[in-house]
Amino acid sequence: MFIQENIKGNAEAQVVLVEYSDFQCPACQAFAPVVEATLAEYGEDIRFEYKHFPLPIHPFALQAAVAAEAAGMQGKFFEYHDALFAEQKNWSAATTPMELFVSYADDLDLNIAQFRRQMNSSILQEKVQSQMSEGQVLGISETPTFFLNGIKMEIQTLQDLSAQIAAAVDPESATIKNSETDKAMKEKE
């Protein structure tokens, strides 16, 4: 069984953004629309790769990651990703979220029998575990954690993500904006 990576944008782009994320993490949910807007703006100039890093403090994050991978086996990873973040409060508060996970798959017109089988697949669980291990080797301890062209990003606000990506996609434009900002600051002094 071939398991593909979860990639959006231009697979051949020079600018590569990798996110290690947890579907049950409120901060990851907050960053999801910013990532989506950034991809809409720079679609052909950026490659985005989603990787799993379910934190142990989130009891259903691992199960949600495997559910997303099961949806991905039917070509709907990012659609399921969006559903998980949109419905995060509901399934996070459930006693057992499996039926909600199945209902999201049904809403996406997935083959439910196949989805259920793949939810129990050791291969998909191993993929999620492998990405978690990879993240641990990289020193990740919180989510979301982003890497831009292989370098861990330092982000304080949602806007920091957009600004750093804009600078990577068009360094000349970022240099002009920075010099204009510096000039404006000096004029205020």
Side-chain angles (χ1 to χ4, degrees), residues 29-89:
Q29 179 190 39
F31 271 94
V34 176
V35 171
E36 193 61 38
T38 301
L39 292 175
E41 185 172 352
Y42 301 111
E44 284 305 307
D45 296 320
I46 191 167
R47 169 190 166 119
F48 172 69
E49 187 170 340
Y50 182 97
K51 295 198 177 208
H52 301 286
F53 200 79
L55 297 169
I57 61 169
H58 296 135
F60 304 129
L62 179 58
Q63 197 176 5
V66 174
E69 288 299 327
M73 296 301 292
Q74 296 184 51
K76 300 261 180 139
F77 175 83
F78 282 104
E79 293 87 344
Y80 200 87
H81 160 285
D82 295 347
L84 285 173
F85 280 132
E87 297 293 330
Q88 185 186 74
K89 284 187 183 196

Side-chain angles (χ1 to χ4, degrees), residues 3-161:
I3 300 179
Q4 65 187 23
E5 297 300 315
N6 302 311
I7 296 171
K8 267 185 147 178
N10 179 356
E12 304 301 319
Q14 297 298 311
V15 176
V16 179
L17 177 66
V18 176
E19 176 184 11
Y20 285 85
S21 183
D22 172 336
F23 286 116
Q24 201 169 355
C25 165
C28 296
Q29 179 190 39
F31 271 94
V34 176
V35 171
E36 193 61 38
T38 301
L39 292 175
E41 185 172 352
Y42 301 111
E44 284 305 307
D45 296 320
I46 191 167
R47 169 190 166 119
F48 172 69
E49 187 170 340
Y50 182 97
K51 295 198 177 208
H52 301 286
F53 200 79
L55 297 169
I57 61 169
H58 296 135
F60 304 129
L62 179 58
Q63 197 176 5
V66 174
E69 288 299 327
M73 296 301 292
Q74 296 184 51
K76 300 261 180 139
F77 175 83
F78 282 104
E79 293 87 344
Y80 200 87
H81 160 285
D82 295 347
L84 285 173
F85 280 132
E87 297 293 330
Q88 185 186 74
K89 284 187 183 196
N90 292 330
W91 62 264
S92 290
T95 306
T96 56
M98 185 59 187
E99 287 312 309
L100 289 171
F101 292 159
V102 171
S103 74
Y104 306 149
D106 192 40
D107 291 346
L108 294 172
D109 295 323
L110 299 181
N111 176 319
I112 298 304
Q114 179 182 343
F115 178 82
R116 285 182 185 275
R117 275 193 314 276
Q118 288 170 330
M119 276 286 301
N120 294 316
S121 165
S122 62
I123 292 172
L124 296 182
Q125 292 174 18
E126 288 168 11
K127 177 182 180 181
V128 172
Q129 293 289 344
S130 173
Q131 290 180 357
M132 286 174 55
S133 296
E134 180 182 294
Q136 289 168 337
V137 168
L138 293 170
I140 295 172
S141 60
E142 62 188 13
T143 56
T145 297
F146 294 93
F147 288 82
L148 186 59
N149 293 334
I151 299 170
K152 185 176 178 185
M153 297 175 75
E154 297 298 324
I155 300 171
Q156 302 301 317
T157 68
L158 296 171
Q159 292 76 21
D160 288 347
L161 178 68

